[in-house]
Amino acid sequence: MSLNASRKKILVTNDDGIEGEGLKVLVESLKNVCDVYILAPDSNRSAVSSKITMDRSLTYYKHGEKTYSCTGTPADCVISAFTSNLFGFKFDAVVSGINAGPNMGTEVVYSGTCAAARQAVLMGTPGIAVSLESEFLDYARDGFNFKPLADFTAKNLDTLISLCSGDVFVNLNATSADNYKEAVFASGCIRDYGDEVQFEGDGDSFTGRCSTQKIKISGENDCDYNIARSRKIAVSLVYAEPVLKKMNGTVKFKF
């Protein structure tokens, strides 16, 4: 498809890696409405949050026209695309995903998918994170029909970009389905994984592994979890910068 000056230039990335099926399907849908450029991690970088690689150089790989991967994180990908001559222009938006698994409520703190959208907003560009829950729910390894959510993202790209007011990124979540008939603005749920670290071995050196117990979810009726489970698309607006609590009253500190 030839480049058109009137078409938006969109950077697509993710945290599942360059071979992620959700990324591939998203790219095909977006190509119908914009010019797509890809820079994604070379392998899975799930739950890396906004980590930036500072202790080593990154290696970049070309996979074809306008398509690259690198050995860094999703945030590294956005920073590299924005501050180097790899592409050589300013992007109109970053779309991150489609993640194989939800990124709802408190999960946005840890999500690499959301971190890429957050990094875009921090650098003055709209960011959109897109995540899909399996039809089998609760982090199943299959049962993902990415196309309907990819098509929704592409058809509503301009609207989603407009929702990024300069201080928020857009976070989309849905449960896998053959089609969607409604998108609803949603608050964020609280997902408590009941994480527990179990140690193996003894002596001065031993190993520990974090395991997840049964997930507990809480939130308002309009939270993203409830919206997605009702077969609608949950649209959440998330502040990119930390929101600091204002202190009312006086506190006396000791020195």
Side-chain angles (χ1 to χ4, degrees), residues 10 30 33-34 95 128 152-161:
I10 304 299
L30 287 174
V33 298
C34 62
V95 182
I128 302 162
F152 171 86
T153 304
K155 291 176 182 178
N156 294 279
L157 183 62
D158 288 346
T159 298
L160 296 172
I161 289 174

Side-chain angles (χ1 to χ4, degrees), residues 4 12 16 31 43 47 71 106-107 128 181 183 187 233 235 242-243:
N4 185 325
V12 174
D16 285 340
K31 281 181 178 179
S43 60
T71 54
T106 45
E107 291 171 333
I128 302 162
K181 299 185 183 302
S187 62
I233 297 172
V235 182
V243 178

